[in-house]
Amino acid sequence: MTTSSEAVPFDSHGVAPIPPEHRDSTPREQFWIWAGANLAPINWVLGALGITLGLSVLETILVVALGNLVGCAVFGLLNVIGHRTAVNQMVLGRAAFGRRGAVVPGVVQGLLTMAWVGVNTWVVLDLALAVLGKLGIHGGLWLEYLVAAVIMIVQLGLALYGFYAIRTFEKYTVPLTVVVMAVMTVLALSQADLRMTAATAITPAEKLTAITQLTTAIGVGWGISWLPYSADYSRFVRPQASSRSVFWSTALGMYIPTVWLAALGACLAGAGTGSDPSALVINAFGVMAVPVLLLIMHGPIATNILNLYSCSLAALSIGITVARWKLTLLAGLVASAVLVAFVRADSFGHAFDSWMVSILVWISPWSAIVVVDYLVLRRGRLNIQALYADPSPYGSWNPRALVSLVLGILAGWSWQYGLVPEMQGPIAIALNNTDFSWLSGALVAGGVYYLASRRVVVRTAELSLEGR
């Protein structure tokens, strides 16, 4: 239970619907949560990736700005569903996949959130080591692991305390970070030798290939990569808040920092300052790099506390009954293993691109099925109690959804082009290494599910609109 007398109450909620009296978050707070999660240097890397792929700075910015209109709009839509139902994202998936069938995407989401913590902690570690280096402190590999351990402990502490601590952390720290990033942007761009139209991808075929790969990494793909998290936080929004306000606060909280930082990364990379997060800062700011690095380390931590929290919800959603703090600690251990892999990678940018491609292959089909099920087939009506019942009116396993997911994953893999051979599908290779994995996976999964399910309605579960 949480009490109003506590300044920052402990979040003891699991995956049951959040009671109305505990839903006190505002749309504005949701904006800060998602802005904080995306106001991180990792988006510089993805912006710089456009230059690495051969696009000009201007082309990179256009791809990121236009692509995120789509990805962030879908993200805002799933946040609205979470607000209307007060249910976390993986449990909402039971309506489409069945009470037991939803375990499959739940397991995948739990594993991916743990891995994301490792990915983002690498960025914090890179920045922290750069700060220490500027101060003359060098310690080799042991220092890397020591700093990584300290960072992980801080992240775990916030995530263990839960949503209310996360909300408070983001609400009071993100505005300051925004100010610092704004000043930093002006300073960096004023010193950079901007070459907006210079590109190494010359032919139309080369440009198309680069555009599709960048769209998957941070265009449409970035907003899609956050879809499994959305309702985990919007379920806490006040019931009287409008759906419109929830949509815009979450969509813009994702869109503004993503496009902003990706554009900055593209500009700095286009000016020849590299793509490594700490190198971008040090090359752009010189003696001012230390205070800037200290402040922008906030971004990856703000992202990781969401990953750790959503990981525990995913585990609870599949039926694990271990205490949430134990699940969070386990997530930290797995994330540490992923961190080691990224530390040893030759190129973080290339390693991260491969990572993004691999996760979108399942998220796009999954999200398409959830959206088609809720908006098209059920027309926004869910029996909330039926999501938790066993046996459930929504069934134990829904083979139509699971088959659609498998077909969508295959379709996505067929048209994805990762940086390792296993992530290069035959259609992508045949069409000059283009990457439309997010689109092909979503269309196939959503289309198959609609055709297979449009005449099959679980009417018992729709009789009650309670919890809508």
Side-chain angles (χ1 to χ4, degrees):
M1 287 289 292
T2 59
T3 64
S4 58
S5 62
E6 296 175 283
V8 183
F10 178 78
D11 174 16
S12 59
H13 299 295
V15 293
I18 305 299
E21 62 271 20
H22 294 169
R23 298 176 61 187
D24 61 354
S25 181
T26 64
R28 178 178 297 181
E29 290 172 343
Q30 294 289 308
F31 174 86
W32 291 125
I33 287 173
W34 295 112
N38 290 280
L39 200 66
I42 200 166
N43 286 327
W44 297 354
V45 177
L46 291 174
L49 181 63
I51 310 305
T52 303
L53 292 172
L55 297 176
S56 69
V57 172
L58 181 59
E59 290 166 339
T60 298
I61 293 174
L62 287 174
V63 170
V64 173
L66 295 177
N68 272 281
L69 290 175
V70 178
C72 294
V74 179
F75 174 76
L77 178 63
L78 264 67
N79 272 279
V80 170
I81 298 174
H83 171 243
R84 289 181 176 179
T85 60
V87 176
N88 70 296
Q89 197 62 63
M90 287 298 108
V91 170
L92 285 173
R94 293 175 180 175
F97 289 90
R99 183 71 169 77
R100 307 296 180 195
V103 169
V104 176
V107 169
V108 176
Q109 171 64 0
L111 293 174
L112 287 177
T113 50
M114 288 187 286
W116 264 117
V117 176
V119 172
N120 288 307
T121 302
W122 181 94
V123 179
V124 188
L125 177 62
D126 183 59
L127 295 172
L129 292 173
V131 171
L132 294 174
K134 293 289 286 186
L135 296 175
I137 301 174
H138 304 280
L141 193 60
W142 73 266
L143 182 61
E144 289 191 45
Y145 288 124
L146 175 62
V147 173
V150 172
I151 294 169
M152 195 67 73
I153 290 171
V154 172
Q155 296 169 162
L156 284 169
L158 285 167
L160 282 169
Y161 211 66
F163 170 80
Y164 301 106
I166 293 171
R167 174 186 64 181
T168 302
F169 175 78
E170 307 283 20
K171 182 170 64 174
Y172 290 108
T173 61
V174 175
L176 174 61
T177 308
V178 168
V179 173
V180 172
M181 292 296 292
V183 173
M184 184 186 94
T185 300
V186 173
L187 180 60
L189 295 182
S190 66
Q191 296 180 356
D193 179 19
L194 297 179
R195 297 185 291 272
M196 299 297 291
T197 58
T200 57
I202 305 301
T203 67
E206 289 175 338
K207 285 191 179 295
L208 177 62
T209 295
I211 288 171
T212 62
Q213 291 181 7
L214 185 64
T215 299
T216 297
I218 193 174
V220 176
W222 189 251
I224 290 176
S225 70
W226 280 105
L227 294 182
Y229 302 75
S230 49
D232 294 356
Y233 305 90
S234 61
R235 65 187 181 141
F236 286 94
V237 175
R238 295 171 179 170
Q240 61 269 30
S242 68
S243 295
R244 183 187 298 271
S245 66
V246 173
F247 173 85
W248 284 111
S249 62
T250 54
L252 290 177
M254 179 75 62
Y255 184 87
I256 293 174
T258 300
V259 175
W260 174 9
L261 266 66
L264 177 59
C267 289
L268 296 181
T273 56
S275 60
D276 181 89
S278 61
L280 284 172
V281 176
I282 292 172
N283 292 335
F285 299 101
V287 295
M288 292 296 295
V290 172
V292 171
L293 283 167
L294 286 171
L295 285 170
I296 62 177
M297 283 192 291
H298 161 274
I301 294 175
T303 305
N304 279 343
I305 56 180
L306 300 188
N307 280 300
L308 289 166
Y309 182 72
S310 286
C311 177
S312 64
L313 294 184
L316 293 172
S317 298
I318 66 176
I320 296 177
T321 57
V322 176
R324 196 184 65 177
W325 68 269
K326 294 181 180 179
L327 295 172
T328 305
L329 288 177
L330 176 61
L333 292 175
V334 176
S336 299
V338 175
L339 173 61
V340 171
F342 272 84
V343 167
R344 296 178 179 274
D346 294 331
S347 168
F348 175 77
H350 284 181
F352 189 79
D353 177 63
S354 298
W355 166 252
M356 282 296 297
V357 167
S358 66
I359 66 173
L360 289 178
V361 167
W362 92 269
I363 293 178
S364 292
W366 168 84
S367 59
I369 292 170
V370 170
V371 169
V372 167
D373 182 83
Y374 181 80
L375 289 181
V376 180
L377 298 179
R378 306 189 192 280
R379 301 188 180 183
R381 297 177 296 175
L382 285 179
N383 184 324
I384 303 303
Q385 288 71 30
L387 295 173
Y388 299 88
D390 192 12
S392 170
Y394 290 115
S396 182
W397 298 85
N398 185 353
R400 295 178 298 277
L402 293 171
V403 170
S404 299
L405 180 62
V406 171
L407 293 177
I409 290 174
L410 289 175
W413 169 81
S414 297
W415 208 339
Q416 77 166 7
Y417 189 79
L419 296 176
V420 296
E422 292 78 12
M423 296 180 184
Q424 297 171 359
I427 298 178
I429 295 174
L431 297 179
N432 197 38
N433 302 339
T434 53
D435 191 326
F436 282 103
S437 54
W438 61 273
L439 182 60
S440 58
L443 289 178
V444 169
V448 170
Y449 182 70
Y450 172 75
L451 293 175
S453 305
R454 69 185 190 278
R455 298 184 184 278
V456 181
V457 180
V458 187
R459 298 186 182 278
T460 304
E462 266 65 57
L463 291 178
S464 172
L465 298 183
E466 183 179 352
R468 181 177 176 182

